[in-house]
Amino acid sequence: MKTTIIGLGLIGGSIAIDLRKGGVATRLLGVELNEAHAKRALAIGLVDEVLPLEEAVRQSDLVITAIPVNSIRTILLKVLDLAGDNTIVIDTGSTKSQICKAVQQHGKRAQFVAAHPIAGTENSGPDAAFSGLFRNKTNIICEPESSSAKAIEVADLVFSALEMRTIHMDPVEHDKHVAYVSHLSHVSSFLLGRTVLDIEQDEKNIFNLAGSGFASTVRLAKSSPDMWAPIFEQNAEYLSQALLEYIMHLQKFQYYLMKRDVKELHRIMTDANRIRKVLEGIELKQQTKQLIEK
Amino acid sequence: MKTTIIGLGLIGGSIAIDLRKGGVATRLLGVELNEAHAKRALAIGLVDEVLPLEEAVRQSDLVITAIPVNSIRTILLKVLDLAGDNTIVIDTGSTKSQICKAVQQHGKRAQFVAAHPIAGTENSGPDAAFSGLFRNKTNIICEPESSSAKAIEVADLVFSALEMRTIHMDPVEHDKHVAYVSHLSHVSSFLLGRTVLDIEQDEKNIFNLAGSGFASTVRLAKSSPDMWAPIFEQNAEYLSQALLEYIMHLQKFQYYLMKRDVKELHRIMTDANRIRKVLEGIELKQQTKQLIEK
């Protein structure tokens, strides 16, 4: 399939690599407003050509959007307007309610698939892209009943080439759950970074005292504000709820700390230890897939 | 040197392995109240013998304590009482003010070195111990002027065998800085785990939606409450300050989120991105040492 990728960063670039590798994309067109990124994506061969949006979409069998979620709505409606009757359009943004609502009434809604392939690193731009970013991860498709059978078939081809497992979810449920499981951990990490930088004016102290635990917890604070600010805005209601719950837990902990109520602190931490089981499940999921591959 | 390790968990066990490997410990005695841990430590050869405290200390040239910080004070005074005039005692606890204060007036204070080798994993017990846990990490020694030249010399031997870099720090300064750089990241992780588990009653949702970012941020929530509750209690004042600052940052973020002030959210995250430089410094420190070794 002649494929257009809109947005040649970590996500778009990694999709391009694996769609070419998997034989799904026979020719790859890129749309990228950042000129330096466009040049770099061509130089490292992520796409064969960088074209203006209109030109790229008109000649494509498949269009995938991988841009910050605040731009998706506008771009998406434009892409659907331009799309031929056989062109399939897939969006990969991290929030889904507003996007699903925006396209609901569009005449070509059936040619569209609302997806969220859950993967990423704290790096961004074309140079951050790599083959295997999505391997063994979960892809969410929202409102599959609004997509045509052909559109779902093409999406299956795409996400199989990325080696993902696809599940379905209501867009509102999706946004609510990712607020807790993904967006909250990013906010907690960003602000942990901020707090520590605020206090430790002398960065040498952080450098000297940081163990691997600190590095791991604060890793997401390196993430791209350009990508995350729009996600947080679009998911403001649920993320705000999640943040308030998190703050409440922190305040309770601080209260018991000031009371020197070690028993209660111990109980809270023991309860949090249950996350071990969940994390082991995640690791197991990865390992099982790797074993099958061998 | 005939060496006693008090506490045969992750820290004590890993010290034992590398002191034997480095030839610093010619014979290793263990003191361990948890019978299962004692048996296991013997079975995997962490120590040559497990003995009662008194018997072990009386015949040792070197005693290292690696037990939860709430027990150190009592045990340490007992160990110093029992120690021969040539025995050196090193403590490895994560808080230093209370411990330094407790031994200040002891007749054998000069035989004691207050250290904090900053390393660890989220695992605990003798089976979690491994060679190289401390490699290229920082060791803090507090009040070196209160230790005899011989005591410092022995400590140098020990921490060199662990391949650590030692710096000096005032005990109060130490506790203040580790509250921000180490203890706060543990609390933030424990409570992130708690918040998510609270909301996602169905753990399958976490499992499906968690990317590697979540796993990394919440990794420390697997840590041992037995070890951390006493650390938090001993460092309650500074940790509480750090927590309040962290909560304030989270509340501000939530405020801008509800106002949909994307510009301000973006600014906060961009500022937090400065942590990248610090983390790169930490990674560089590791790599440089590895290159030198090659």
Side-chain angles (χ1 to χ4, degrees):
Chain A
M1 274 182 291
K2 207 171 198 178
T3 303
T4 287
I5 310 278
I6 304 178
L8 300 172
L10 166 69
I11 300 296
S14 300
I15 291 175
I17 294 171
D18 281 338
L19 289 192
R20 197 195 294 277
K21 227 178 167 179
V24 173
T26 46
R27 185 162 177 81
L28 275 158
L29 311 177
V31 177
E32 173 59 65
L33 294 182
N34 179 321
E35 271 185 48
H37 282 190
K39 266 192 191 163
R40 192 67 199 139
L42 273 173
I44 58 178
L46 292 181
V47 291
D48 302 310
E49 220 175 331
V50 173
L51 292 173
L53 179 73
E54 198 169 325
E55 219 173 306
V57 173
R58 280 205 195 282
Q59 56 179 299
S60 290
D61 308 304
L62 169 62
V63 178
I64 298 175
T65 53
I67 50 179
V69 293
N70 55 331
S71 322
I72 294 182
R73 268 196 296 175
T74 339
I75 296 282
L76 204 53
L77 294 172
K78 215 166 164 184
V79 168
L80 285 176
D81 289 343
L82 293 166
D85 290 343
N86 292 311
T87 304
I88 304 302
V89 180
I90 301 175
D91 139 65
T92 61
S94 297
T95 58
K96 295 265 77 71
S97 301
Q98 292 197 25
I99 286 157
C100 283
K101 217 179 276 171
V103 297
Q104 208 167 21
Q105 304 300 331
H106 198 284
K108 294 179 190 152
R109 171 62 182 89
Q111 292 169 236
F112 172 69
V113 178
H116 177 199
I118 304 179
T121 71
E122 68 277 24
N123 303 314
S124 51
D127 282 309
F130 63 94
S131 171
L133 170 62
F134 302 97
R135 186 177 299 139
N136 305 334
K137 306 279 169 63
T138 303
N139 174 50
I140 312 284
I141 288 186
C142 293
E143 303 186 340
E145 66 285 359
S146 301
S147 308
S148 70
K150 195 201 153 192
I152 292 293
E153 201 181 301
V154 170
D156 278 350
L157 265 177
V158 167
F159 296 109
S160 298
L162 302 183
E163 301 183 56
M164 301 192 86
R165 194 174 58 101
T166 292
I167 61 171
H168 297 160
M169 213 175 229
D170 170 76
V172 172
E173 283 299 302
H174 167 275
D175 285 6
K176 193 175 149 185
H177 289 301
V178 294
Y180 283 91
V181 178
S182 164
H183 303 173
L184 179 60
S185 48
H186 280 81
V187 175
S188 84
S189 195
F190 271 119
L191 297 180
L192 182 65
R194 259 303 288 258
T195 309
V196 174
L197 285 166
D198 243 34
I199 294 302
E200 301 291 354
Q201 299 296 338
D202 184 356
E203 288 172 7
K204 235 183 93 193
N205 270 327
I206 311 181
F207 181 80
N208 281 332
L209 297 172
S212 57
F214 175 74
S216 153
T217 315
V218 94
R219 179 169 73 83
L220 296 181
K222 301 197 283 179
S223 302
S224 156
D226 289 343
M227 173 181 167
W228 284 99
I231 292 176
F232 294 160
E233 187 203 9
Q234 288 216 359
N235 209 13
E237 288 299 331
Y238 292 122
L239 178 55
S240 183
Q241 267 179 38
L243 259 171
L244 289 176
E245 305 239 16
Y246 182 49
I247 290 168
M248 184 207 68
H249 279 291
L250 288 164
Q251 284 171 327
K252 263 171 74 178
F253 196 87
Q254 197 256 341
Y255 169 77
Y256 291 120
L257 190 63
M258 287 319 291
K259 277 182 70 185
R260 307 292 197 275
D261 188 339
V262 183
K263 215 173 132 187
E264 191 56 32
L265 296 178
H266 194 282
R267 200 192 58 72
I268 294 172
M269 290 187 268
T270 304
D271 206 43
N273 277 171
R274 284 189 293 130
I275 205 73
R276 183 182 283 271
K277 209 180 104 200
V278 180
L279 292 174
E280 275 164 7
I282 294 171
E283 284 159 19
L284 199 66
K285 181 165 64 170
Q286 305 280 341
Q287 285 162 7
T288 310
K289 187 69 198 306
Q290 279 159 10
L291 276 176
I292 291 168
E293 280 166 358
K294 275 183 190 166
Chain B
M1 275 183 291
K2 206 172 199 177
T3 303
T4 287
I5 310 277
I6 305 178
L8 300 171
L10 167 67
I11 299 295
S14 300
I15 291 175
I17 295 171
D18 282 337
L19 288 193
R20 196 196 293 277
K21 229 179 164 178
V24 174
T26 46
R27 186 164 175 80
L28 275 156
L29 311 176
V31 177
E32 173 59 66
L33 294 180
N34 179 320
E35 271 186 47
H37 282 189
K39 265 193 191 162
R40 191 66 200 143
L42 273 174
I44 58 178
L46 293 180
V47 291
D48 302 309
E49 220 176 330
V50 173
L51 292 173
L53 180 73
E54 199 169 325
E55 218 172 306
V57 173
R58 281 204 193 282
Q59 56 180 297
S60 290
D61 308 302
L62 169 63
V63 179
I64 297 175
T65 53
I67 51 179
V69 292
N70 56 330
S71 321
I72 294 182
R73 270 195 295 177
T74 339
I75 296 283
L76 204 53
L77 294 173
K78 217 166 162 184
V79 168
L80 285 175
D81 288 344
L82 293 166
D85 291 342
N86 292 312
T87 303
I88 304 302
V89 180
I90 301 175
D91 138 64
T92 62
S94 297
T95 58
K96 294 265 76 72
S97 302
Q98 292 198 25
I99 287 157
C100 283
K101 217 178 277 170
V103 297
Q104 208 167 20
Q105 305 300 331
H106 198 283
K108 294 179 191 154
R109 171 63 184 90
Q111 293 169 236
F112 171 68
V113 178
H116 177 199
I118 304 179
T121 72
E122 69 275 24
N123 303 313
S124 51
D127 282 308
F130 63 94
S131 172
L133 169 63
F134 301 96
R135 186 177 300 140
N136 304 335
K137 306 279 169 64
T138 303
N139 174 52
I140 312 283
I141 289 187
C142 294
E143 302 185 341
E145 67 283 0
S146 301
S147 307
S148 69
K150 194 201 155 192
I152 292 293
E153 199 181 303
V154 170
D156 278 349
L157 265 178
V158 167
F159 296 109
S160 299
L162 302 182
E163 300 182 57
M164 301 192 87
R165 193 173 59 99
T166 292
I167 60 172
H168 297 160
M169 212 175 229
D170 169 78
V172 172
E173 282 300 302
H174 168 275
D175 285 8
K176 194 176 149 186
H177 289 300
V178 294
Y180 283 90
V181 178
S182 163
H183 304 172
L184 179 61
S185 49
H186 280 81
V187 174
S188 85
S189 195
F190 270 120
L191 297 180
L192 183 66
R194 259 304 287 260
T195 308
V196 174
L197 285 166
D198 243 35
I199 294 301
E200 302 291 354
Q201 299 297 338
D202 184 356
E203 288 172 7
K204 235 183 92 195
N205 271 327
I206 311 181
F207 181 80
N208 281 331
L209 298 173
S212 57
F214 175 74
S216 154
T217 315
V218 92
R219 179 169 73 84
L220 296 181
K222 301 196 285 179
S223 302
S224 156
D226 289 343
M227 172 181 167
W228 285 99
I231 291 175
F232 294 159
E233 188 204 8
Q234 288 215 0
N235 209 13
E237 289 298 331
Y238 292 122
L239 178 55
S240 183
Q241 267 180 36
L243 258 170
L244 289 176
E245 305 239 16
Y246 183 49
I247 290 168
M248 185 208 67
H249 279 291
L250 288 164
Q251 283 171 329
K252 262 171 74 178
F253 196 88
Q254 196 257 340
Y255 168 78
Y256 291 120
L257 190 64
M258 287 320 290
K259 275 182 73 185
R260 307 293 196 276
D261 188 340
V262 183
K263 216 174 131 186
E264 192 56 32
L265 296 178
H266 194 283
R267 201 191 58 73
I268 294 171
M269 289 188 269
T270 304
D271 206 44
N273 275 173
R274 285 189 291 132
I275 205 74
R276 182 183 283 270
K277 208 181 105 200
V278 180
L279 292 175
E280 274 163 7
I282 295 171
E283 283 159 19
L284 198 68
K285 181 166 66 174
Q286 306 280 338
Q287 285 162 8
T288 312
K289 186 73 199 301
Q290 278 159 13
L291 275 177
I292 292 168
E293 281 166 356
K294 274 183 190 167

